[in-house]
Amino acid sequence: MSLFKSTLKQIQEAAEIMKLDQDIVTVLSHPKRVLQVSLPIRMDSGEIKVFQGFRVQHNDVAGPFKGGIRYHEQVDMEEVKALATWMTMKCSVVGIPLGGGKGGIIVNPKTLSKRELEQLTRKYIDRVQALIGPDRDVPAPDVNTNPQIMAWMADEYMKLGNLNKNGVVTGKPLHVGGSKGRDEATSRGGAYVLSEIAKERGIKPENTKVIIQGFGNAGSHMARILAEEGYKIVGVSDSKGGVYCEDGLDAPCMIKCKTEKGTVTKCETMYNHCESLSNEELIEKDCEILVLAALENQITEENADRIKAKYIIELANGPVTPEADKILDKKGIAVVPDILANAGGVTVSYFELVQNQNNYYWSAEKIQRRLKPIMVNAWKRVAEIQKKYHCTLRQAAFISAMVRLEEMLKSRGFE
Ligand code: GLU
């Protein structure tokens, strides 16, 4: 099943539970606009190579379309449509005045030189510039895109005549209009939700083993934050594989090693009793909390039954399939869904946009002070809905989002 079909299934399921007006389901099941672009680049070898790019604008009833751009060899239109739809839901779960969008380029950026990467990034903005802008559609980082890429995007957009519009993308470096706390925002937001759950259910960090799949921006910050809160990190992985250590891993050490050696798999020699294992093996190991911070479709009907964690935190988008959701639910494993767990990222992107538009910048403390209540309230609302309907957290998060979207769509009209 395509990722977009899974997304439609999630919408349909939640809609049935809440008895949502079928017209709203129909509108939310179709992106408002999709765009595919060809991106010819002169490679260092002298040849011209044409890459394919996408931008999907799912819904903007709440405000400008908002969502990241991923650079990945396997990205396709169906995937980007799913990711854009989740962005609409995500912004609505946390109640920020933004809609949902997403973009992508079919490329493995690790195979490009810095010059090629810059050319490709600038070309993408040239191609989509008519559709984006701080009041229209605001891209951001996602898988394999980073602050440097955002800086090129903003620069290219402004070069095209849009003076002082650096709010066209978020996730920029601090010195060119980025926001404090944006780098760790996805993880910080997930950690705020986890703290609430821990408080409600008496989870003691020092007795709680955590495995983190994925050690990119979200995974590595999550490892640091949870270690600071006293959790015992027993396993981590990246695209090259993972390490598991009963006695616990030292998060700052792992981060340092990842930065220096490029992969956590080269860090295991630093520990005794450490096991090297694959990504698939790692997520089945013993732990209380499993943080999924890599890619989609990691837990499927094939491996769901072997998951031992009690809680799954989805920092990645779509790491658990709808079929796996059912199996995990039967096993009593709570899945804190992506549209809630990783919404801290887009929330601080919203703060960045607000700061850019006012040309006035906030302290790191202010960012945290404003992010926390948004995440905590979003969690409380979802938890209440879950109790009311006796449903999963994912269904409750979709209901929470769609209640708001329905109000907005009905007030504004959508025909
Ligand atoms: N790519 C991130 C996400 O999936 C962030 C999006 C944003 O900041 O706009 O939520």
Side-chain angles (χ1 to χ4, degrees):
M1 194 193 309
S2 82
L3 205 60
F4 185 55
K5 290 230 170 72
S6 301
T7 311
L8 295 183
K9 214 167 152 186
Q10 293 169 338
I11 291 179
Q12 192 59 45
E13 248 177 54
E16 275 163 26
I17 297 169
M18 71 190 282
K19 302 201 168 49
L20 179 63
D21 185 339
Q22 194 54 41
D23 288 348
I24 303 296
V25 177
T26 307
V27 171
L28 292 174
S29 300
H30 296 86
K32 205 163 169 180
R33 194 176 284 125
V34 301
L35 177 68
Q36 180 163 355
V37 292
S38 294
L39 309 165
I41 304 300
R42 174 112 23 226
M43 305 300 283
D44 292 346
S45 63
E47 63 162 342
I48 291 275
K49 207 166 157 182
V50 183
F51 294 87
Q52 292 300 308
F54 311 96
R55 185 72 186 166
V56 172
Q57 298 181 328
H58 175 260
N59 191 280
D60 64 346
V61 72
F65 301 101
K66 185 84 193 80
I69 297 179
R70 63 173 56 183
Y71 288 2
H72 200 275
E73 262 172 324
Q74 258 101 48
V75 75
D76 61 33
M77 186 61 102
E78 285 299 287
E79 180 185 8
V80 180
K81 275 160 68 178
L83 292 160
T85 311
W86 285 330
M87 286 308 301
T88 302
M89 298 297 159
K90 193 183 297 185
C91 291
S92 189
V93 167
V94 283
I96 56 176
L98 293 170
K102 201 85 177 196
I105 301 180
I106 307 175
V107 63
N108 175 1
K110 286 166 197 153
T111 62
L112 300 185
S113 69
K114 193 169 178 199
R115 189 199 65 81
E116 291 166 343
L117 188 62
E118 179 173 348
Q119 291 299 111
L120 182 64
T121 300
R122 289 185 183 276
K123 187 67 79 179
Y124 179 85
I125 292 301
D126 293 350
R127 293 288 191 263
V128 303
Q129 69 121 348
L131 295 186
I132 61 171
D135 301 316
R136 284 171 192 268
D137 181 358
V138 185
D142 197 73
V143 174
N144 289 334
T145 49
N146 56 28
Q148 170 62 78
I149 291 175
M150 296 306 118
W152 288 327
M153 288 187 175
D155 182 69
E156 187 64 21
Y157 184 72
M158 289 189 277
K159 261 191 194 151
L160 291 167
N162 306 291
L163 294 182
N164 277 327
K165 292 259 168 70
N166 67 351
V168 63
V169 297
T170 58
K172 299 179 291 291
L174 274 182
H175 50 274
V176 287
S179 174
K180 297 232 166 81
R182 177 62 187 84
D183 51 355
E184 61 155 38
T186 306
S187 317
R188 184 64 71 190
Y192 284 142
V193 173
L194 179 57
S195 287
E196 284 305 299
I197 297 176
K199 237 192 295 173
E200 286 166 24
R201 310 197 182 175
I203 297 170
K204 299 234 170 343
E206 58 280 12
N207 302 332
T208 306
K209 294 194 284 279
V210 180
I211 289 176
I212 301 177
Q213 187 207 33
F215 218 68
N217 183 57
S220 60
H221 281 293
M222 194 64 163
R224 177 183 53 81
I225 293 168
L226 294 188
E228 280 165 10
E229 290 181 1
Y231 286 92
K232 194 168 164 194
I233 315 287
V234 291
V236 296
S237 69
D238 58 30
S239 59
K240 308 229 164 55
V243 283
Y244 181 83
C245 196
E246 281 273 18
D247 305 337
L249 295 158
D250 182 40
C253 221
M254 298 302 286
I255 294 165
K256 190 165 175 273
C257 165
K258 167 86 180 169
T259 322
E260 284 166 8
K261 300 188 185 165
T263 168
V264 294
T265 55
K266 293 203 178 129
C267 315
E268 89 268 22
T269 47
M270 302 182 323
Y271 302 96
N272 297 322
H273 325 295
C274 243
E275 214 182 309
S276 299
L277 64 202
S278 69
N279 260 289
E280 295 75 51
E281 290 164 338
L282 180 75
I283 59 178
E284 294 175 14
K285 295 292 279 187
D286 186 44
C287 67
E288 277 77 39
I289 294 173
L290 174 60
V291 177
L292 298 174
L295 283 168
E296 48 262 19
N297 296 335
Q298 298 302 303
I299 302 185
T300 63
E301 58 191 327
E302 199 276 309
N303 61 356
D305 213 30
R306 296 194 295 274
I307 301 299
K308 298 187 187 66
K310 296 191 178 69
Y311 296 90
I312 293 175
I313 314 283
E314 293 187 327
L315 284 191
N317 291 307
V320 177
T321 66
E323 297 74 31
D325 257 342
K326 291 208 172 65
I327 301 170
L328 296 173
D329 187 41
K330 273 207 198 102
K331 281 167 65 91
I333 300 174
V335 179
V336 186
D338 44 12
I339 56 171
L340 168 66
N342 71 30
V346 73
T347 303
V348 177
S349 274
Y350 165 56
F351 297 163
E352 182 172 333
L353 183 60
V354 171
Q355 293 170 81
N356 291 155
Q357 284 176 326
N358 292 300
N359 205 10
Y360 180 77
Y361 289 84
W362 308 350
S363 66
E365 293 69 43
K366 187 163 176 168
I367 300 283
Q368 287 203 15
R369 239 183 8 252
R370 293 197 164 171
L371 175 61
K372 188 171 177 184
I374 291 180
M375 295 307 301
V376 171
N377 291 338
W379 158 254
K380 289 197 168 141
R381 188 175 141 110
V382 168
E384 248 164 54
I385 293 173
Q386 186 200 23
K387 279 193 200 104
K388 178 172 164 196
Y389 291 107
H390 305 287
C391 59
T392 65
L393 285 171
R394 187 180 319 279
Q395 289 160 341
F398 269 85
I399 293 171
S400 170
M402 292 198 293
V403 165
R404 287 184 172 138
L405 289 162
E406 179 182 27
E407 276 175 356
M408 291 185 273
L409 286 165
K410 288 202 164 153
S411 297
R412 286 183 52 177
F414 50 83
E415 284 172 40

